[in-house]
Amino acid sequence: MSKLISIGELLIDFSSVGTGPLKDISQFVKNAGGAPANVCVQAAKLGQRAIYLTQVGADGFGEFLRDALHKEGVDTSYIKMNRKYDTSLAFVSFQENGEREFSFYRKNAADLYFTPKDFAAVEFFAGDIFEFGSVALKTKEAKETHLALLHRAMQKNVIVCFDPNVRLNLWEDANELKQVIWEYLQYTDIVKVSEDELKFLTDCEHIEQAVTKLWNAHLKLVIVTKGEQGATLYLKNQKCFSHLGFPVQAVDTTGAGDSFFGGFISELLRNNFKKDELLNLNYEDILSFACKCGAFTTTGYGAIPAMGNKKQVESVGK
């Protein structure tokens, strides 16, 4: 059975109880988070085999995170516990206008210091999908680990998926983040970006013009997410698919993009599509299903707790 292998940050999201500025919030709810981890969980909830690669602190928070992913069906055998580093934390408050305010605690985070040796036993096979983001790409160790896994994945003809997940408040220099994203795009078959992220990367206001700037020797698909307005998928052969999204009563958009991507990847795995088929597929149903996943997640609070299984996701729009 083909599988998803994701790598990246694993952190605790402390989400505000009530709305207002972070400085005024006195109560928080604890949930597991981290974009690649969310993608991995969504795929697992949809019945796919999913493995997560990361490192957490050898503490109660780290144990909570490992157990949280295990309970959702993710293979956690490659989540390392390290006494030298801390478990990543993030505090999130919700504003009256729906915006979110973040404060991250990950300067000495364990998920920045895993090494290639930590995941030497991970096996890739044709038909697998390897997915990653940019948040963990801040240190020499993490970059070397990602590159080692990317090269191994590419040798096995694995589909590589990248969600840049731009978090400017985690980087001292926005240009450094942009440079890192462009560096790792060259190893990517499928990239998912929001409209704002696309503009940040290309300095183009026009979406179609911005997408053309992303194409390289490996990239085959660019998926541009548009929040409640759905998403558009661009193929390197100039084909294009769009979906307008599904109207739902949204209460929290946290993790909606990750759920979308997890749903998209799960459909590629469910149909056992291979890398050399990517440019010849009809993506209408796949894109619709991914939009359903994202929409469903917004109807509950938190990312992982709000994600649906296949039956729940399929109920969206009915």
Side-chain angles (χ1 to χ4, degrees):
M1 179 181 179
S2 297
K3 62 187 179 293
L4 168 64
I5 301 174
S6 293
I7 184 173
E9 71 277 10
L10 182 58
L11 52 86
I12 294 182
D13 276 330
F14 286 98
S15 302
S16 66
V17 176
T19 58
L22 198 55
K23 67 182 182 66
D24 295 333
I25 300 297
S26 59
Q27 289 183 296
F28 296 86
V29 175
K30 178 179 66 173
N31 284 306
N38 293 339
V39 171
C40 209
V41 167
Q42 180 63 90
K45 283 194 171 188
L46 294 170
Q48 302 306 317
R49 185 182 172 201
I51 302 173
Y52 199 58
L53 317 180
T54 194
Q55 185 171 244
V56 294
D59 53 31
F61 286 148
E63 292 175 2
F64 167 81
L65 290 169
R66 183 187 57 191
D67 292 348
L69 265 62
H70 180 72
K71 288 176 183 176
E72 299 295 351
V74 173
D75 183 339
T76 59
S77 56
Y78 292 100
I79 296 182
K80 310 294 182 178
M81 311 285 287
N82 194 314
R83 296 185 181 278
K84 185 177 178 181
Y85 301 105
D86 301 326
T87 300
S88 296
L89 308 177
F91 290 82
V92 188
S93 67
F94 301 95
Q95 314 301 302
E96 295 290 349
N97 62 1
E99 294 297 317
R100 293 171 292 167
E101 180 185 353
F102 292 89
S103 184
F104 293 93
Y105 293 81
R106 50 182 284 105
K107 290 184 178 178
N108 195 42
D111 54 43
L112 292 173
Y113 294 99
F114 42 59
T115 68
K117 288 184 180 180
D118 290 321
F119 310 124
V122 175
E123 292 186 291
F124 292 99
F125 298 96
D128 288 347
I129 294 179
F130 182 58
E131 187 265 343
F132 68 105
S134 71
V135 169
L137 293 172
K138 285 205 67 180
T139 62
K140 178 175 177 287
E141 294 88 343
K143 289 178 180 178
E144 288 178 348
T145 304
H146 279 74
L147 285 174
L149 288 163
L150 283 165
H151 285 306
R152 287 169 52 195
M154 292 169 69
Q155 288 172 358
K156 296 292 185 177
N157 214 32
V158 167
I159 297 172
V160 177
C161 297
F162 184 23
D163 175 6
N165 191 31
V166 173
R167 291 289 181 264
L168 291 173
N169 53 346
L170 287 175
W171 296 76
E172 293 75 23
D173 184 349
N175 287 325
E176 180 187 359
L177 170 57
K178 186 182 293 189
Q179 182 178 344
V180 166
I181 292 171
W182 277 103
E183 177 184 350
Y184 284 82
L185 271 173
Q186 67 181 304
Y187 303 101
T188 302
D189 297 300
I190 301 172
V191 63
K192 178 192 76 71
V193 290
S194 69
E195 291 178 296
D196 288 341
E197 289 171 336
L198 186 59
K199 292 174 184 177
F200 166 76
L201 289 173
T202 63
D203 297 314
C204 288
E205 290 294 323
H206 193 269
I207 298 299
E208 282 71 20
Q209 182 182 2
V211 168
T212 62
K213 284 195 170 186
L214 296 184
W215 298 124
N216 59 47
H218 283 99
L219 189 60
K220 299 172 181 64
L221 276 74
V222 176
I223 306 170
V224 182
T225 56
K226 304 175 182 180
E228 62 184 11
Q229 296 178 355
T232 299
L233 183 152
Y234 299 88
L235 293 171
K236 196 173 186 177
N237 60 12
Q238 299 186 344
K239 291 181 182 178
C240 180
F241 297 85
S242 289
H243 196 283
L244 296 177
F246 294 91
V248 294
Q249 190 64 43
V251 297
D252 178 10
T253 60
T254 303
D258 304 330
S259 180
F260 171 96
F261 209 23
F264 185 90
I265 288 171
S266 76
E267 285 297 279
L268 295 182
L269 289 170
R270 186 178 67 83
N271 289 284
N272 200 31
F273 292 131
K274 301 297 191 293
K275 181 183 289 195
D276 58 5
E277 298 177 277
L278 291 177
L279 290 177
N280 300 311
L281 300 177
N282 185 322
Y283 287 95
E284 288 183 5
D285 290 343
I286 297 175
L287 201 57
S288 175
F289 183 78
C291 285
K292 286 185 177 184
C293 290
F296 184 86
T297 298
T298 69
T299 63
Y301 289 97
I304 290 175
M307 290 177 178
N309 57 34
K310 192 168 181 62
K311 182 178 179 180
Q312 291 169 319
V313 167
E314 290 287 13
S315 70
V316 173
K318 293 182 177 179

